[in-house]
Amino acid sequence: MIIILDFGSQYTYLIVKSVQQLNVSCKVMPFDVAISEILKIKPEAIILSGSPFSVLDDDAPFCDKRIFELGIPILGICYGMQLICHLLDGRVEHSLKKEFGYVELIVDEKHGLFEGLETGDVVWMSHSDKIEKVPIGFETFSSTVNTPFVAMQNKAEKIYAVQFHPEVSHTEKGLFIFKNFIYNICGLKPNWTPGSFIEKASKKIREKVGDAGVVLGLSGGVDSSVTAALLHEVIGDKLIPILVDTGLMRKNEVAEILKIFENVGIHIEVVNAKGIFLEQLKGVTDPEEKRKIIGRLFIEIFEKEALKFDNIQFLAQGTLYPDVIESSSSKTKDGPSVTIKSHHNVGGLPEKLNLKLIEPIRELFKYEVRVIGKELGLPDEILFRHPFPGPGLAVRIIGDITEEKVAILQEIDFIFIDELRKNYYYDRIWQAFAVLLPVQTVGVMGDDRTYENVCALRAVNSLDGMTADWTKIPYNILRKISNRIINEVKGVNRVVYDISSKPPSTIEWE
Ligand code: XMP
């Protein structure tokens, strides 16, 4: 078991993913956890995450300095490296120059932590402070053009650190660092499998739910579908999956989902709530307000539906790790990271919920959810659908939402996805969708002037939604899509393509 001390980085859970990818168990703990709690777990290694703070801030999160005396191997990442320096009497200073994005490594020692790495390998940096002096007993073995101390080690004490982020996919050989640290330096062996997850999760579900019934918010996306399959496997018909037709779904989506679930033998209750969603969202333009309203409506509907069945005590949701970390803020128990968006299945929950929450895949990432779903026998049609956000098209219509705008966006989205499929490109993309902008531009159709809306197309590749890069869809496919949208969708006369990566952008526009 490895402990990851969380100092509030947006990427802490990517560290979890990296460790799990090596099939080793890990547990995230708050940065200020008592030494006695750490010792109870008997960890074989400790990883210190990054942080939005500087170690020089008055309110910077520090761990107990005594963790360096436990004889347990430690790996510090970014802030984690600076913290090791700061606490062990090295020197960290503010720097005028920020180092952000891709940089090339200069590697002085190609073994130990850097086995398999070499000069010229690309890593991803995100720091503004710099290390001026490493602590006594440490040696450095890598640098970049801007940063003299990129990696350091104290082999005798088994304390290692890197200034860049090996956990993000932008660092090409990031997994080498974890592999070298976990397998070679700590001597751990792989032991995590999808089967072991299902077994543990089923046991937890049984213990928690007992004889009670569970309602589940099914969107037809991978997360809620896998949650449904997992719960159905454990509690059978005591699971009541509810599909809320918000009117903000994609074209034909409700019918398609019903058909897929009919085929796998899971019955679904459909609630038509189009009217109430549109009414409550009328005139609302603020993205966070939209998300909160939608989250509240979902919960109200589930609570009401639950009363129609016997002994329903739980509400199940397909919340994932990235949803949890991106919705947490400094005020929550999840740690000192900053709120990016309130994902509806976390941020919109009311203070007092009449149902107890059950989120059996809360510790997983999307790619793991797909592996689990496959193990549970779900068809690829569900597992490889592009992700779709809980708030649906509401966060893809910038500005206020009307029935007419929803209908326009459904048509655009339909054409986009249809062309991707026809050109065998859908499966090469992690997520593709269209966004309707509250911007009108001048165009010319035949001999007439038009003054209509702009839509944006977005397609990204990602492992988990935490980081993403825009997809280089071939121009000929983009041309077909754009032509069809402008010709077939009334009200749109311009199509633009979003070429931003995450970070610094997010995947959805709101
Ligand atoms: P962002 O926009 O935060 O999106 O970069 C990351 C991934 O999460 C999806 N997403 C959501 N999923 N409820 C969900 O279930 C939500 O409120 C929500 N908001 C964003 C998004 O589509 C992308 O796959």
Side-chain angles (χ1 to χ4, degrees):
M1 169 68 83
I2 293 183
I3 286 181
I4 298 163
L5 288 190
D6 180 21
F7 293 89
S9 165
Q10 291 291 333
Y11 307 127
T12 296
Y13 295 95
L14 292 180
I15 303 178
V16 176
K17 188 196 84 179
S18 305
V19 176
Q20 287 182 345
Q21 241 174 309
L22 295 168
N23 295 332
V24 170
S25 307
C26 61
K27 187 177 171 65
V28 176
M29 300 188 99
F31 64 89
D32 53 357
V33 62
I35 287 269
S36 54
E37 291 299 311
I38 293 181
L39 288 175
K40 264 189 217 161
I41 291 174
K42 300 200 180 93
E44 275 136 319
I46 299 175
I47 298 178
L48 312 181
S49 81
S51 175
F53 286 86
S54 153
V55 291
L56 305 172
D57 288 345
D58 289 340
D59 50 354
F62 286 179
C63 57
D64 190 321
K65 195 175 162 179
R66 287 172 299 173
I67 65 162
F68 301 113
E69 294 158 14
L70 299 176
I72 300 172
I74 290 178
L75 174 66
I77 293 174
C78 192
Y79 176 91
M81 173 166 179
Q82 298 187 348
L83 187 66
I84 295 172
C85 270
H86 189 72
L87 294 179
L88 297 183
D89 297 327
R91 201 166 69 245
V92 178
E93 285 184 1
H94 287 312
S95 164
L96 289 177
K97 265 217 257 127
K98 215 173 159 189
E99 200 178 32
F100 183 83
Y102 295 100
V103 287
E104 280 187 16
L105 275 189
I106 301 165
V107 177
D108 302 328
E109 188 178 291
K110 291 187 200 164
H111 45 85
L113 194 66
F114 275 17
E115 179 93 45
L117 273 80
E118 50 195 66
T119 296
D121 282 344
V122 172
V123 297
W124 201 77
M125 291 278 193
S126 176
H127 67 112
S128 32
D129 288 353
K130 63 172 186 219
I131 292 170
E132 282 293 325
K133 185 172 140 280
V134 300
I136 292 170
F138 280 76
E139 52 176 355
T140 61
F141 54 98
S142 179
S143 55
T144 66
V145 173
N146 301 319
T147 307
F149 306 126
V150 165
M152 65 177 192
Q153 61 191 0
N154 180 332
K155 284 186 189 160
E157 303 287 337
K158 290 201 172 173
I159 303 175
Y160 297 78
V162 288
Q163 182 59 75
F164 56 89
H165 287 271
E167 70 276 29
V168 303
S169 55
H170 306 47
T171 296
E172 286 168 354
K173 293 185 182 165
L175 209 57
F176 280 58
I177 307 278
F178 289 104
K179 195 166 151 243
N180 292 333
F181 178 67
I182 293 172
Y183 292 166
N184 303 347
I185 294 170
C186 305
L188 294 181
K189 299 259 180 300
N191 66 0
W192 190 94
T193 61
S196 71
F197 172 84
I198 293 173
E199 203 184 301
K200 265 193 231 154
S202 304
K203 190 165 167 257
K204 271 196 220 162
I205 292 168
R206 243 176 253 119
E207 280 168 12
K208 185 163 179 171
V209 171
D211 282 336
V214 178
V215 283
L216 170 129
L218 186 89
S219 68
V222 187
D223 314 338
S224 58
S225 301
V226 173
T227 308
L230 183 58
L231 282 161
H232 193 260
E233 173 117 339
V234 185
I235 62 169
D237 289 344
K238 289 209 195 91
L239 171 76
I240 315 285
I242 296 174
L243 177 59
V244 181
D245 185 356
T246 57
L248 300 162
M249 316 271 285
R250 286 169 286 199
K251 191 177 166 182
N252 302 334
E253 192 159 27
V254 174
E256 280 170 18
I257 296 168
L258 283 179
K259 203 167 138 224
I260 293 172
F261 274 87
E262 208 180 284
N263 290 342
V264 292
I266 301 180
H267 173 75
I268 295 174
E269 300 288 326
V270 180
V271 179
N272 183 345
K274 287 181 192 168
I276 179 107
F277 273 86
L278 276 178
E279 185 196 301
Q280 301 252 329
L281 286 166
K282 199 168 171 193
V284 178
T285 55
D286 180 69
E288 276 300 285
E289 209 183 320
K290 282 183 190 172
R291 284 174 171 274
K292 295 263 157 76
I293 290 171
I294 293 168
R296 176 175 54 73
L297 282 176
F298 267 110
I299 298 295
E300 282 172 14
I301 291 169
F302 294 136
E303 285 188 333
K304 200 168 138 210
E305 288 302 307
L307 294 177
K308 297 184 184 162
F309 300 89
D310 264 355
N311 193 24
I312 299 284
Q313 293 182 20
F314 291 89
L315 169 70
Q317 294 200 117
T319 310
L320 301 188
Y321 245 166
D323 305 333
V324 177
I325 191 65
E326 293 205 350
S327 293
S328 70
S329 78
S330 49
K331 293 181 203 75
T332 76
K333 63 178 170 36
D334 285 319
S337 57
V338 176
T339 301
I340 306 293
K341 296 178 185 179
S342 302
H343 282 200
H344 88 83
N345 41 11
V346 182
L349 289 182
E351 298 270 301
K352 194 175 161 300
L353 188 67
N354 289 334
L355 295 166
K356 287 173 264 181
L357 207 57
I358 178 160
E359 296 174 313
I361 57 168
R362 196 181 159 89
E363 290 171 14
L364 301 182
F365 288 85
K366 185 83 77 192
Y367 78 96
E368 291 166 330
V369 173
R370 290 194 167 118
V371 175
I372 302 290
K374 190 114 197 141
E375 187 92 358
L376 288 165
L378 286 176
D380 285 1
E381 212 178 340
I382 289 184
L383 298 178
F384 292 94
R385 275 165 86 89
H386 288 179
F388 188 64
L393 300 182
V395 289
R396 295 178 178 172
I397 294 172
I398 311 301
D400 70 318
I401 297 158
T402 62
E403 205 171 346
E404 191 198 355
K405 288 184 186 174
V406 173
I408 291 178
L409 186 55
Q410 279 175 334
E411 286 307 317
I412 300 169
D413 183 80
F414 179 80
I415 294 171
F416 187 16
I417 300 300
D418 186 46
E419 282 300 325
L420 289 177
R421 286 195 196 278
K422 282 183 178 148
N423 288 279
Y424 305 104
Y425 222 81
Y426 181 84
D427 292 330
R428 296 170 68 172
I429 296 174
W430 195 75
Q431 185 174 17
F433 58 91
V435 182
L436 189 63
L437 309 186
V439 175
Q440 287 183 300
T441 66
V442 175
V444 52
M445 270 257 185
D447 290 332
D448 288 330
R449 175 188 191 270
T450 59
Y451 188 56
E452 290 172 339
N453 278 91
V454 184
C455 75
L457 303 180
R458 177 119 170 99
V460 293
N461 281 86
S462 172
L463 262 180
D464 42 45
M466 291 290 286
T467 59
D469 201 6
W470 59 280
T471 308
K472 282 89 195 162
I473 299 179
Y475 286 163
N476 60 334
I477 304 180
L478 282 175
R479 185 197 292 123
K480 280 189 216 165
I481 295 166
S482 156
N483 277 350
R484 269 193 68 189
I485 292 172
I486 293 173
N487 283 318
E488 293 176 30
V489 185
K490 207 164 165 287
V492 176
N493 70 352
R494 192 174 298 267
V495 177
V496 296
Y497 190 54
D498 182 348
I499 54 166
S500 336
S501 61
K502 172 183 180 175
S505 303
T506 53
I507 295 177
E508 302 289 344
W509 279 38
E510 289 196 333

